[in-house]
Amino acid sequence: MAAGKKTRVEKAPAGALSPPGYRAVPIQFSPERTASHYLYLKEHRVREGTGSAWPPGRTLFVLNVPPYCPEERLAQLFSDCCGPVQSVKLHPKPDLSQRPGEPSTAAASELFRPKPVPGFQVAYLVFRKRASVQKAVALQGPLIVSTESCPVKTGIEKWIADYAASLGDPEALRVEVDKFMEEYDKKVAQEDARAEAEEGVPDEEGWVKVTRKGRRPGLPRSEAASLRVLEKEKRKKARKELLNFYAWQHRETKMEHLAQLRKKFEEDKQRIALMRAQRKFRPY
């Protein structure tokens, strides 16, 4: 019987198993710690004909990045032993949705940053030179995250630093919001101008595009306008309801009408009795 095909499993220098195609590199939090995690490295490649925003030949894909290793420290670790790093991006899982030309490494806002993802992550390291990727996949390790020259804050010190970093400058926030609103207003003005220019102009097939700038503009988006629309819908629905359509509806309507008549008759009797009792002039 023919033997089954065996999967090739690489071994790290310390004896740790690594997935096929990856290089296992140990990483420690500090020189005093004996426990270590393993980073799994390989050159980032995509299938032929598939686009990617990460530059080919200069991108290193890293698995199992521990939460105590931020992007800045990860970039410094690899730049010290492999070469200058252009950018580092952490993701909760492999980024498979990128398309060519997407600004994946564009500078994000410093004031509106997304909430950090807890736990282990994956990283994309972009080097300035192609030779740095080959040096990275040949690393032996271990990599030390926190050293005397570059300490990494943990515990309450890290919480205090994160809280202080979350408090942005009000003036910088105002400037960024004003800039965003200016760009938004400019975009809206361009869309309105384009819609106004296309209004009433037939295309190649003779069709006329109907825009929201027509004879009947949309309702204002206010609470009062929404309440008026809801009241109008309720009245329309009440007019469409079928009253006394079934026999049991006829019976219930008659019974309710009789009950109301009896109630009104008793109230009238009590009112007449009260009026007679309060009458002061008695001729007899």
Side-chain angles (χ1 to χ4, degrees):
M1 186 175 71
K5 184 178 180 181
K6 296 183 179 181
T7 304
R8 176 173 166 267
V9 179
E10 297 179 355
K11 284 191 176 182
L17 298 177
S18 62
Y22 287 86
R23 174 75 175 181
V25 178
I27 180 172
Q28 297 178 2
F29 178 76
S30 63
E32 295 81 14
R33 304 287 178 89
T34 57
S36 61
H37 290 100
Y38 285 90
L39 301 179
Y40 300 104
L41 321 176
K42 76 170 185 177
E43 182 181 352
H44 176 64
R45 295 175 181 175
V46 295
R47 295 178 181 177
E48 186 177 355
T50 304
S52 175
W54 311 104
R58 295 191 296 114
T59 304
L60 182 70
F61 180 61
V62 185
L63 283 174
N64 205 38
V65 179
Y68 54 78
C69 186
E71 293 180 352
E72 298 80 8
R73 186 56 185 147
L74 190 64
Q76 191 172 7
L77 285 174
F78 281 91
S79 62
D80 291 341
C81 55
C82 301
V85 176
Q86 179 178 337
S87 64
V88 178
K89 207 68 176 178
L90 289 175
H91 291 271
K93 56 184 180 180
D95 192 1
L96 304 177
S97 61
Q98 295 295 329
R99 297 291 185 273
E102 283 188 358
S104 173
T105 57
S109 171
E110 293 294 332
L111 300 174
F112 298 95
R113 287 173 292 184
K115 186 177 180 180
V117 179
F120 288 75
Q121 303 181 71
V122 301
Y124 291 88
L125 282 88
V126 180
F127 291 95
R128 297 187 182 276
K129 298 180 180 179
R130 291 176 175 265
S132 300
V133 178
Q134 305 304 323
K135 292 181 181 179
V137 295
L139 283 176
Q140 297 293 330
L143 302 175
I144 308 299
V145 178
S146 181
T147 59
E148 294 183 358
S149 59
C150 299
V152 175
K153 296 180 180 180
T154 57
I156 192 170
E157 294 182 356
K158 184 178 185 301
W159 295 343
I160 294 174
D162 292 343
Y163 176 75
S166 66
L167 302 176
D169 184 13
E171 183 63 23
L173 177 62
R174 185 189 63 80
V175 171
E176 184 166 348
V177 171
D178 291 345
K179 181 180 178 182
F180 175 82
M181 292 306 301
E182 288 178 1
E183 294 178 355
Y184 176 76
D185 293 340
K186 188 184 298 183
K187 181 181 179 181
V188 170
Q190 292 176 356
E191 292 179 356
D192 291 344
R194 184 167 58 252
E196 186 175 357
E198 294 177 355
E199 184 179 0
V201 179
D203 57 7
E204 298 177 354
E205 298 180 355
W207 294 93
V208 177
K209 183 178 179 181
V210 179
T211 63
R212 62 186 180 89
K213 295 293 184 180
R215 184 178 302 175
R216 210 176 154 187
L219 293 174
R221 295 178 179 271
S222 62
E223 186 176 357
S226 301
L227 291 176
R228 288 197 297 270
V229 172
L230 290 177
E231 290 295 333
K232 187 177 179 181
E233 291 294 331
K234 287 182 180 178
R235 291 195 298 268
K236 186 185 298 184
K237 186 177 180 181
R239 288 196 300 267
K240 290 183 178 180
E241 288 181 352
L242 296 175
L243 299 177
N244 299 331
F245 182 75
Y246 298 100
W248 61 268
Q249 289 180 333
H250 279 284
R251 290 194 299 269
E252 288 188 356
T253 303
K254 290 181 180 179
M255 292 175 62
E256 290 177 0
H257 183 61
L258 290 174
Q260 291 178 1
L261 289 177
R262 291 193 183 100
K263 182 179 179 182
K264 188 176 180 181
F265 178 71
E266 294 295 333
E267 292 176 353
D268 290 343
K269 284 175 60 177
Q270 294 178 3
R271 189 173 71 254
I272 292 173
L274 183 62
M275 291 172 62
R276 286 177 178 175
Q278 292 178 350
R279 186 164 51 181
K280 297 178 181 179
F281 176 70
R282 293 186 176 86
Y284 303 106

